Amino acid sequence: MEEVPGWLETLAERVRGMPVTPMFRPPASGGRAAAVLLLFGEGPLGPDVLLIQRSSRGRTHPGQPAFPGGGVDPEDDGPIAAALREASEETGLDPAGVRVLGTMPELYLSHSDNRVTPVLGWWHTPCVVHAASPEEVESVERVPVRELVDPANRIRLRHPSGHIGPAFRVRGLLVWGFTAGVLDGVLGGSGFELPWDRSRVEDIPPDVLNLAAR
């Protein structure tokens, strides 16, 4: 079993108390409990993170890159159990190969009315992953951190509402919205982030918007 790298232990400490921006701040009440797994491993190109491309036929956030995850079911023992279960169902991940390092503050997704707890994990014993639930997941990617922090892969996207948020173009994926916001904050605390041109602002492509609006 590989030891947790020092940078990830430091990151786990930092994100526990990470401030929540007003856009993702949960309301006083309401919302469905949910969880996502931010799973870091060591791949051929260095540290990487597990992302999925949601099915364009799915009911929730169709066609969008995301962290594995979903709703906390009554039989789950909280968000950590839910994140691991969902990741297993969606990607074939073996939870025995994951060491959970902690959770981030709860974040609210108004579009789906979900209160999401991000769970940070270390993939000490990687296994083969794939789109284990084709009706929900189209593909699974281990995205190297070095590609995420590459300034050439970073932009900001403008929503028709006027909101502008971080985004990444990696492995043929356009990562935006909630997932990109979490990645942006996590990478900022990881020590790997590189200076990038925040003046690169583009409109969200119409096809991406149309899928998101479903």
Side-chain angles (χ1 to χ4, degrees):
M1 180 187 298
E2 291 188 24
E3 291 186 7
V4 180
W7 68 266
L8 190 52
E9 288 184 328
T10 301
L11 176 63
E13 287 293 329
R14 287 176 177 167
V15 299
R16 283 191 186 101
M18 182 177 286
V20 178
T21 62
M23 180 179 178
F24 293 125
R25 197 166 293 154
S29 61
R32 181 191 180 200
V36 294
L37 182 65
L38 276 71
L39 184 59
F40 287 95
E42 186 68 27
L45 297 177
D48 57 28
V49 65
L50 185 67
L51 293 180
I52 63 172
Q53 172 87 21
R54 293 208 173 277
S55 170
S56 57
R57 304 181 303 276
R59 293 171 299 170
T60 343
H61 308 291
Q64 292 186 28
F67 304 111
V72 178
D73 289 345
E75 60 270 23
D76 290 324
D77 186 19
I80 291 175
L84 292 172
R85 173 185 57 76
E86 286 280 353
S88 177
E89 293 173 358
E90 292 175 340
T91 72
L93 174 77
D94 180 3
V98 177
R99 178 177 171 185
V100 173
L101 303 177
T103 60
M104 294 172 58
E106 189 179 65
L107 305 170
Y108 182 63
L109 285 179
S110 58
H111 178 67
S112 55
D113 193 32
N114 281 327
R115 307 175 74 102
V116 183
T117 299
V119 176
L120 189 66
W122 165 239
W123 206 358
H124 57 76
T125 309
C127 63
V128 175
V129 287
H130 63 288
S133 180
E135 67 278 6
E136 295 182 48
V137 179
E138 286 185 2
S139 62
V140 179
E141 287 283 349
R142 293 184 64 170
V143 180
V145 170
R146 66 191 287 183
E147 293 181 17
L148 287 167
V149 300
D150 184 340
N153 295 334
R154 304 204 64 174
I155 58 172
R156 297 168 74 212
L157 286 184
R158 182 191 297 110
H159 190 273
S161 66
H163 172 75
I164 298 176
F168 304 81
R169 281 201 177 99
V170 285
R171 302 280 162 135
L173 303 174
L174 176 63
V175 185
W176 65 289
F178 170 82
T179 303
V182 173
L183 276 175
D184 181 58
V186 167
L187 292 173
S190 70
F192 291 120
E193 188 174 41
L194 299 172
W196 59 284
D197 184 3
R198 295 175 183 270
S199 68
R200 289 179 62 199
V201 178
E202 301 177 12
D203 291 328
I204 301 177
D207 58 328
V208 173
L209 270 179
N210 290 337
L211 266 180
R214 281 175 40 191

